[in-house]
């Protein structure tokens, strides 16, 4: 099945607790025993049901970034969240960090963005953006971005390890690594790759399933929640263009250990998105907000039961795209409009604004790069910046832009709009 829906739709998919929005209808999930579908062959293994956890680009110690110094190269930077400084992880005296002789510089496609695997190890999924190739490698590195070693290769595959949120992050259960991807590049069949970094064994867990999966929503416990778009293609218009219209969105619960796939819910929509609903998986919990009905609940993915925790959401917060940023302490934090919902008390209130950050003339509220529980890593300020880009032919080009800086802020200050930042260093990327 061709990949024809933008990744941006992942944040708009969604489910509801009660009520039906205008222009769409929700089909409740059938009882799991009635809709269970297990593929004839799953390439799965018998294993304990260990919880799945998304991999992040940082933890309490460091945050990892990359930039392109020129040509086909990637240079790593590390933001030290304890020493509050940003540097290239290279100790070679006199190194200019612009050739592959630097231990922190790699050729694109050989080692792309890294994720924290454990206290000692990073992992990279070479997603072949630069350039597109037929095979993809899984690479382990030390925490200083050095001692690179390829532990697995997936043939005729492209990884989709973007890491922006739970829907685009790779996962681990402590034994295996999991990453969404595609066979034959981004135009090919969606795959969920399982990789054993100790043996190099790989498998596509979706290879023999009958359900055509498009995206990943996240993981609850030991199971993934996957997204299917059912599409219709209208006739060509007068200028010869054809566009895909999604008529139905389905969420599936998938067990990577057994291959069992169960439908959670299906949502009908004329527009192709459910803008009046939000569904998000955060910290292993599936949250649903029905903006039309003004209710918020959690969904028990095993029983299908919903548990209401907020109702009578004020009308002024109902309209908008409702991008969920993250869960900060007990609060679900949204943009467009800026609203917060307390998952413990059900309180709904305006999100207090921090000073706007202006990037190339456009203002935005600070973005959360790493959520450390009681502390957040965010972009805290921007300043004018002139950089020199080197093209593939070696020709330099000057670009006037803005450069952001990372800062640590307590979750309490973030929730109360108090800009008490501890600056870490420039954001590189």
């Amino acid at each position: 099945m061709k990949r024809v829906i933008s990744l941006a739709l992942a944040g708009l998919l969604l489910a509801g607790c009660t009520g039906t929005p205008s222009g769409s209808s929700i089909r409740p999930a059938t009882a799991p025993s009635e809709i269970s579908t297990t593929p004839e062959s799953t390439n799965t293994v018998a294993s304990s049901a260990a919880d799945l956890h998304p991999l992040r680009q940082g933890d309490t110690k460091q945050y990892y970034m990359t930039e392109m110094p020129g040509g086909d190269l990637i240079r790593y930077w590390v933001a030290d969240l304890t020493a509050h400084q940003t540097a290239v992880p290279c100790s070679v005296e006199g190194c200019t960090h612009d050739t592959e002789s630097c231990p922190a510089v790699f050729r694109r496609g050989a080692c792309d963005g890294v994720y924290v695997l454990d206290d000692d190890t990073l992992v990279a999924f070479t997603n072949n953006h630069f350039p597109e190739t037929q095979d993809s490698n899984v690479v382990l590195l030390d925490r200083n971005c050095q001692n690179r070693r390829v532990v697995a290769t997936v043939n005729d595959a492209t990884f989709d390890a973007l890491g922006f949120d739970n829907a685009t992050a790779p996962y681990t259960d402590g034994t295996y690594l999991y990453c969404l991807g595609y066979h034959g590049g981004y135009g090919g069949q969606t795959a969920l790759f399982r990789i054993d970094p100790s043996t190099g064994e790989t498998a596509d867990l979706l290879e023999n399933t009958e359900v055509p999966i498009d995206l990943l929503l996240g993981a609850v416990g030991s199971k993934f929640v996957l997204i299917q778009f059912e599409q219709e293609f209208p006739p060509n218009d007068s200028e010869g263009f054809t566009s895909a219209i999604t008529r139905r969105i389905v969420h599936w619960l998938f067990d990577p250990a057994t291959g069992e796939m169960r439908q959670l819910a299906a949502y009908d929509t004329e527009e192709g998105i459910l803008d009046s609903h939000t569904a998000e998986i955060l910290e292993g919990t599936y949250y649903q907000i029905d903006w039309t009905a003004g209710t918020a609940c959690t969904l028990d993915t095993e029983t299908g039961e919903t548990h209401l925790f907020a109702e009578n959401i004020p009308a002024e917060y109902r309209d908008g795209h409702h991008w969920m940023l993250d869960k900060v302490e007990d609060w679900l934090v949204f943009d467009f409009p800026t609203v917060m919902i307390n998952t413990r008390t059900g309180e709904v209130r305006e999100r207090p604004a921090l000073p706007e950050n202006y990037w190339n003339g456009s203002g935005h509220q600070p973005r959360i790069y790493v959520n450390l529980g009681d502390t957040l890593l965010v972009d805290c300020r921007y300043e004018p910046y002139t950089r020199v880009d080197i093209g593939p032919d070696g020709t330099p080009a000057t670009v006037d832009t803005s450069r952001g800086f990372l800062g640590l802020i307590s979750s309490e200050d973030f929730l109360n709009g108090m800009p008490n930042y501890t600056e870490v260093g420039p954001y590189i990327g």
Side-chain angles (χ1 to χ4, degrees):
M1 180 181 60
K2 299 298 182 181
R3 180 178 173 79
V4 295
I5 302 294
S6 167
L7 282 171
L9 289 180
L12 295 177
L13 299 181
L14 301 193
C17 309
T18 60
T20 302
S22 175
S24 65
S25 63
I26 300 176
R27 303 181 185 180
T30 310
S33 60
E34 297 177 10
I35 59 174
S36 258
T37 58
T38 302
E40 294 179 1
S41 173
T42 62
N43 281 328
T44 57
V45 295
S47 64
S48 60
D51 284 353
L52 294 157
H53 300 283
L55 298 177
R56 302 301 188 193
Q57 292 168 291
D59 61 1
T60 57
K61 296 189 293 186
Q62 288 111 4
Y63 179 73
Y64 296 88
M65 303 170 286
T66 60
E67 68 172 341
M68 300 175 188
D72 293 328
L73 300 180
I74 284 181
R75 176 166 55 212
Y76 282 93
W77 286 77
V78 177
D80 189 315
L81 305 187
T82 302
H84 304 151
Q85 61 184 16
T86 301
V88 176
C90 171
S91 59
V92 178
E93 185 175 356
C95 183
T96 56
H97 317 308
D98 56 5
T99 69
E100 287 183 88
S101 63
C102 174
V105 174
F106 299 91
R107 188 154 300 277
R108 292 184 292 185
C111 192
D112 302 314
V114 293
Y115 301 86
V116 176
L117 185 58
D118 55 41
D119 287 341
D120 303 312
T121 313
L122 305 173
V123 60
F125 299 82
T126 62
N127 54 26
N128 303 320
H129 287 195
F130 312 104
E132 189 94 11
T133 60
Q134 291 186 345
D135 301 330
S136 293
N137 293 328
V138 180
V139 180
L140 298 185
L141 305 87
D142 294 345
R143 287 294 293 254
N144 61 0
C145 295
Q146 298 171 29
N147 188 23
R148 173 182 176 271
R149 58 268 189 201
V150 177
V151 296
T153 298
V154 183
N155 298 322
D156 188 30
T158 298
F159 290 126
D160 192 21
L162 302 177
F164 300 135
D165 52 26
N166 289 345
T168 60
Y171 282 75
T172 184
D173 59 9
T175 300
Y176 298 105
L177 301 170
Y178 301 86
C179 191
L180 201 72
Y182 307 93
H183 289 295
Y186 288 106
Q189 177 72 32
T190 303
L192 178 61
F193 297 110
R194 185 192 64 217
I195 302 105
D196 187 337
S198 63
T199 66
E201 180 184 3
T202 67
D204 173 13
L205 302 182
L206 302 180
E207 183 175 10
N208 296 304
T209 59
E210 297 180 359
V211 178
I213 295 299
D214 289 277
L215 294 174
L216 168 68
L217 186 65
V220 178
S222 62
K223 299 176 182 178
F224 288 105
V225 177
L226 305 174
I227 302 170
Q228 174 197 8
F229 299 111
E230 292 188 352
Q231 302 163 39
E232 293 183 3
F233 294 86
N236 291 352
D237 62 19
S238 59
E239 296 181 355
F241 293 101
T242 300
S243 59
I245 297 178
T246 300
R247 297 297 187 187
R248 196 165 185 245
I249 298 170
V250 186
H251 288 189
W252 296 87
L253 189 68
F254 177 74
D255 188 336
T258 66
E260 180 188 22
M261 186 175 290
R262 295 193 284 105
Q263 184 177 314
L264 292 178
Y267 317 105
D268 292 337
T269 171
E270 296 179 2
E271 294 82 7
I273 58 174
L274 300 181
D275 201 14
S276 58
H277 287 72
T278 296
E280 196 77 50
I281 296 174
L282 297 172
E283 300 176 358
T285 299
Y286 191 120
Y287 293 97
Q288 301 177 322
I289 296 90
D290 183 333
W291 300 101
T292 299
T295 57
C297 61
T298 59
L299 172 68
D300 187 320
T301 55
E302 293 299 323
T303 66
E305 296 177 349
T306 58
H307 303 278
L308 186 72
F309 63 85
E311 56 186 337
N312 300 320
I313 297 174
E316 60 265 31
Y317 302 130
R318 305 282 187 87
D319 294 330
H321 293 299
H322 302 105
W323 294 107
M324 188 184 289
L325 297 183
D326 211 331
K327 182 184 178 186
V328 181
E329 294 185 346
D330 291 324
W331 294 90
L332 301 180
V333 181
F334 295 84
D335 263 344
F336 312 116
T338 52
V339 61
M340 306 195 308
I341 304 175
N342 192 294
T343 60
R344 182 173 55 85
T345 66
E347 180 185 355
V348 181
R349 65 182 174 94
E350 178 77 16
R351 173 187 166 196
L354 287 157
E356 286 276 283
N357 287 325
Y358 286 89
W359 182 79
N360 289 348
S362 177
H364 67 275
Q365 283 291 294
R367 171 190 168 188
I368 299 173
Y369 287 86
V370 182
N371 187 335
L372 302 173
D374 59 356
T375 306
L376 309 174
L377 181 68
V378 302
D379 51 339
C380 62
R381 70 178 180 91
Y382 285 71
E383 65 179 24
Y385 174 65
T386 300
R387 72 170 189 263
V388 178
D389 292 343
I390 305 298
D393 61 354
T395 303
T398 299
V399 179
D400 292 326
T401 182
S402 302
R403 177 170 59 179
F405 286 77
L406 296 173
L408 294 168
I409 184 173
S410 71
S411 296
E412 181 180 0
D413 284 341
F414 180 88
L415 292 172
N416 288 287
M418 303 295 293
N420 297 321
Y421 299 113
T422 299
E423 191 167 300
V424 173
Y427 172 79
I428 308 298

